[in-house]
């Protein structure tokens, strides 16, 4: 046994004391049915020999691994980072281990991560779905989660189908609020850098933008709605096309997130177009850098940290209840007005 000090098992201890492994297991877990002297003797010997509890074996007994799987499309944006911090604020203090998986917006990676998390018997899975999953509409991996009766929680990006609970921001209301702000400032020619097609968040923000224009009696320009990715680079070409054209140009831009606004602002500055004097710009995220960007970006607060924290709290409620029903929580967005929008006239 001395040669295997770091790998000593319950069976090794059972042989030493000529008892059953179940007796040793109960002694190590401080079970009340074991004689106090026997319990102390076994515990002291196990400590001396460097015994470590096998968390996987214990999970089979306890039906809980104290692990939570979290899938996000990327870790490049502050939004995902803040959501993760919100999740950690709840689970870390309770002894849970979080397993983070990045899908890179790929459906196949998302499926593979889900399979691995299920094989590791995680207690619950929190997921922000990938762009490819949303486009393909293939949710078979979520069917697997439901069949295993593992709690499933959608964070930030939800799907219409009812596979589990969710916590999201009201994307439609946020987009409506952003567009209304521009109109109230006197803007009439409002362009939209819309998100990737197929994602529900992109669809809802586009609908909020279009409905606000319609309700304000403003006809949208089809050419002024461009679907881009959630990054800076994808906004550059559409913005150039709008403002290098010989025809009418926008007097405002509503970006699907703050990052695309950074790209648009970069183009405008290179073209010597003044912000906000000539063009107003509003984003959607309230990234930590936005108050320090030049000009300071007007945006919609997405409540990223709050999404993660609330999802974690509701997941705990789900784990502690046998009758917990899936619920969808929709948080209200907040307008943060800064320097990138202005009053016209």
């Amino acid at each position: 046994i001395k040669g295997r000090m770091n790998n000593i098992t319950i069976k090794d201890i059972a042989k030493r004391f000529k008892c059953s492994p179940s007796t040793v297991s109960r002694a190590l877990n401080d079970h009340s049915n074991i004689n106090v002297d026997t319990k102390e003797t076994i515990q002291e010997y196990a400590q001396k020999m460097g015994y470590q509890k096998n968390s996987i074996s214990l999970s089979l007994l306890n039906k809980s691994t104290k692990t939570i799987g979290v899938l996000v499309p990327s870790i490049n944006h502050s939004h995902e980072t803040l959501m993760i911090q919100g999740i950690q604020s709840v689970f870390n203090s309770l002894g849970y281990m979080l397993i983070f998986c990045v899908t890179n917006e790929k459906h196949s990676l998302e499926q593979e991560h889900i399979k691995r998390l299920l094989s590791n018997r995680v207690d619950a899975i929190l997921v922000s779905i990938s762009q490819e999953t949303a486009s393909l509409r293939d949710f078979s991996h979520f069917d697997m989660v439901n069949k295993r009766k593992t709690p499933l929680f959608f964070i930030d990006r939800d799907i219409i189908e009812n596979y589990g609970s969710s916590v999201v921001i009201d994307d439609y209301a946020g987009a409506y609020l952003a567009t209304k702000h521009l109109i109230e400032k006197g803007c009439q020619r409002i362009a939209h850098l819309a998100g990737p097609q197929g994602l529900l968040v992109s669809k809802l923000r586009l609908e909020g933008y279009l409905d606000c224009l319609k309700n304000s009696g403003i006809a949208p320009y089809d050419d002024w709605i461009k679907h881009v990715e959630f990054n800076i680079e994808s906004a550059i070409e559409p913005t150039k096309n709008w403002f290098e054209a010989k025809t009418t140009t926008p007097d405002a831009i509503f970006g699907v997130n703050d990052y695309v606004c950074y790209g648009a602002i970069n183009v405008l500055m290179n073209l010597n177009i003044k912000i906000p004097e000539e063009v107003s710009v509003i984003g959607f995220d309230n990234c930590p850098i936005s108050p320090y960007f030049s000009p300071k970006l007007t945006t919609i607060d997405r409540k990223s940290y709050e999404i993660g924290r609330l999802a974690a709290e509701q997941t705990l409620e789900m784990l502690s209840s046998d009758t917990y029903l899936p619920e969808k929580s929709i948080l209200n967005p907040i307008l943060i007005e800064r320097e990138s929008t202005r009053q016209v006239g």
Side-chain angles (χ1 to χ4, degrees), residues 69-327:
V70 182
L71 281 77
V72 291
S74 77
I75 50 173
N76 297 329
H77 299 158
S78 59
H79 171 61
E80 284 90 0
T81 304
L82 288 169
M83 278 201 308
I84 288 171
Q85 289 175 1
I87 293 168
Q88 287 177 317
S89 72
V90 175
F91 283 121
N92 281 4
S93 61
L94 299 175
Y96 279 84
M97 182 173 71
L98 302 180
I99 303 175
F100 294 105
C101 305
V102 180
T103 64
N104 293 322
E105 303 286 11
K106 301 295 183 184
H107 175 68
S108 59
L109 264 180
E110 186 173 290
Q111 283 192 319
E112 187 60 33
H113 286 318
I114 290 285
K115 288 177 184 177
R116 288 180 179 177
L117 290 172
L118 289 175
S119 67
N120 283 314
R121 303 184 67 255
V122 294
D123 291 346
I125 295 175
L126 284 70
V127 57
S128 178
I129 68 167
S130 69
Q131 289 181 27
E132 281 192 358
T133 296
S135 298
L136 294 171
R137 313 301 297 168
D138 179 3
F139 305 131
S140 54
H141 48 312
F142 299 142
D143 280 322
M144 288 192 300
V145 179
N146 287 337
K147 285 175 183 176
R148 289 280 293 270
K149 294 187 173 11
T150 301
L152 179 62
F153 228 104
F154 294 95
I155 50 175
D156 178 44
R157 298 180 182 179
D158 198 5
I159 55 178
I160 297 172
E161 291 78 2
N162 189 24
Y163 282 92
S165 295
S166 63
V167 177
V168 298
I169 195 72
D170 191 331
D171 291 291
Y172 175 89
Y176 198 102
L177 188 62
T179 310
K180 183 180 178 184
H181 172 74
L182 293 172
I183 293 169
E184 288 176 345
K185 291 293 183 181
C187 301
Q188 293 286 306
R189 306 185 308 278
I190 303 169
H192 180 35
L193 290 165
Q197 290 180 304
L199 278 177
L200 185 59
V201 294
S202 305
K203 178 176 179 289
L204 291 172
R205 291 178 198 179
L206 176 58
E207 288 176 354
Y209 156 81
L210 290 172
D211 284 353
C212 188
L213 290 182
K214 180 181 177 182
N215 293 339
S216 302
I218 300 173
Y221 286 68
D222 289 339
D223 289 342
W224 289 357
I225 300 171
K226 296 295 181 184
H227 288 277
V228 297
E229 301 299 317
F230 293 120
N231 57 50
I232 293 173
E233 294 78 13
S234 65
I236 292 174
E237 200 61 35
T239 308
K240 278 184 179 178
N241 291 338
W242 289 335
F243 289 93
E244 288 180 346
K246 303 287 186 182
T247 56
T248 306
T249 58
D251 61 5
I253 297 172
F254 164 43
V256 70
N257 70 359
D258 286 4
Y259 286 91
V260 301
C261 290
Y262 302 155
I265 288 171
N266 180 265
V267 171
L268 294 173
M269 292 177 73
N270 288 337
L271 294 174
N272 295 315
I273 296 172
K274 294 179 181 178
I275 309 161
E277 290 81 4
E278 297 177 76
V279 178
S280 287
V281 181
I282 187 168
F284 199 121
D285 265 356
N286 195 26
C287 289
I289 195 176
S290 291
Y292 305 101
F293 199 76
S294 182
K296 297 176 182 178
L297 186 65
T298 298
T299 186
I300 300 296
D301 190 342
R302 199 173 179 180
K303 297 187 177 179
S304 308
Y305 183 92
E306 186 71 8
I307 287 174
R309 185 192 63 78
L310 185 58
E313 288 180 350
Q314 292 187 8
T315 301
L316 283 176
E317 289 180 25
M318 195 182 301
L319 291 171
S320 63
S321 173
D322 294 330
T323 58
Y324 187 94
L325 296 174
E327 64 175 286

Side-chain angles (χ1 to χ4, degrees), residues 39-54:
K39 192 188 302 183
E40 289 180 356
T41 302
I42 291 175
Q43 288 176 354
E44 286 175 7
Y45 177 79
Q47 185 176 7
K48 176 184 174 183
M49 300 306 293
Y51 169 76
Q52 292 184 330
K53 290 182 180 180
N54 186 324

